[in-house]
Structures are given as structure tokens and as C-alpha cells.
Amino acid sequence: MAIVASIKRITHLVGYSFRETAVALDAFGLRMAGNNVADFNFCRQRNMMPLYDKKPEAAASVFVDSSADVIGDVTLAQGASVWPGVVIRGDAAAVSIGENSNVQDDTVINSWGSKNESPVTVGNNVTIGNRLEIDLALRGDQVMVLSLEGAAVSLMRPSSG
């Protein structure tokens, strides 16, 4: 069984190496042809990306999955986690994710829908469920945000006791 796992790991690493080499060769070819598109700062390899002069900030204990994108004026507090496929955009206004809060798979948080370009703030110990779009402030602490039947958004506090 260990041999099969080792072979799978080696196969994955070889495939990854070929893909990254192809990307590097493509960028080199574009530069040689005089096209500077490969020098654009919005690069797929970076999941914490500045947007103009706005740069994301994250505490040392933050987890951001490699397939997630945190862009622009975004602050991630201690213990926050951002899971696969998540996009957090601080473009029109700031986005702040509180301590120990987590944003789960394929959720989008952006500030374009916020009224009067007000910041989007997620409180402490908040869980935001899968595949949601958030563009408002969730200032309460210890809140769970879920999608019910793919439409309604529900804010629930955990029961005490």
C-alpha cells in the first residue's frame, strides 16, 4: 500500500513540474516576442494579491488555501481561515475577517454590493458556509451563515448549554 501511495505522489509531483515548466516557458516565449502580458502583477501563483495600492494583510496564524484568492484591501485576523475556491475582494471598500472566523469553499465576499461603499466586516468566531455571496457586514460574533435550499441566507447563533 505504501508503494502505491509513493507512486501516486511521484506522479503528482512530475505532473506538477511539467505544468509549471510549461507556464514558465510560455511566459518566456511571450517576453521574447515582445509581449509583456507575462509581467502583469495579477499572477495565478499568488493567492494574496494587491489591487493597485491596496494590499491584503494577514496575521501569522491565518490559513489561506492555495486555490483561494484574497485581493485588495482585505484584513484577516488571528486564526482566520479561507478554504478552497474562496474569493475575497476588497476592491470598492475594505473587507475584514475577524478572529477564528472561517470562510468555506467557493464563497465570494466582495465590497461592491455594500451600501455607500461601506466596509464589509465579518465578526469573530463566524462560520460562513459553502457557496455563498456576502457583500454586507456580519458584525455579530459567534454566528453561522448558511444557505438554505440554495436561496435564503440564515444567521444563527449556537445554542448555549
Side-chain angles (χ1 to χ4, degrees):
M1 198 60 155
I3 294 173
V4 172
S6 295
I7 290 172
K8 285 183 178 180
R9 175 95 175 127
I10 289 170
T11 303
H12 169 76
L13 291 174
V14 168
Y16 177 80
S17 298
F18 279 131
R19 284 189 301 275
E20 292 303 309
T21 301
V23 168
L25 286 172
D26 185 41
F28 176 74
L30 288 168
R31 284 189 194 102
M32 293 300 292
N35 188 335
N36 66 350
V37 73
D39 295 330
F40 190 55
N41 285 333
F42 201 75
C43 177
R44 74 173 181 83
Q45 281 89 0
R46 299 185 314 175
N47 58 345
M48 298 277 288
M49 297 175 265
L51 182 64
Y52 307 113
D53 61 338
K54 301 171 184 174
K55 295 182 181 181
E57 296 178 15
S61 63
V62 165
F63 168 76
V64 177
D65 185 80
S66 62
S67 67
D69 294 312
V70 179
I71 306 164
D73 192 3
V74 177
T75 303
L76 302 171
Q78 290 280 43
S81 57
V82 179
W83 294 94
V86 169
V87 176
I88 302 176
R89 287 193 331 255
D91 40 14
V95 175
S96 176
I97 308 296
E99 292 181 6
N100 303 314
S101 292
N102 69 82
V103 183
Q104 296 178 2
D105 306 20
D106 300 322
T107 292
V108 175
I109 299 176
N110 67 67
S111 54
W112 276 108
S114 62
K115 292 186 166 88
N116 302 325
E117 295 183 2
S118 59
V120 175
T121 304
V122 175
N124 298 327
N125 303 306
V126 172
T127 295
I128 298 176
N130 299 332
R131 296 187 175 133
L132 295 176
E133 184 173 336
I134 307 292
D135 59 7
L136 50 87
L138 302 173
R139 296 188 188 273
D141 293 340
Q142 299 179 355
V143 174
M144 182 178 290
V145 183
L146 301 171
S147 175
L148 302 176
E149 298 178 24
V153 174
S154 173
L155 302 178
M156 304 182 329
R157 292 195 183 276
S159 60
S160 56

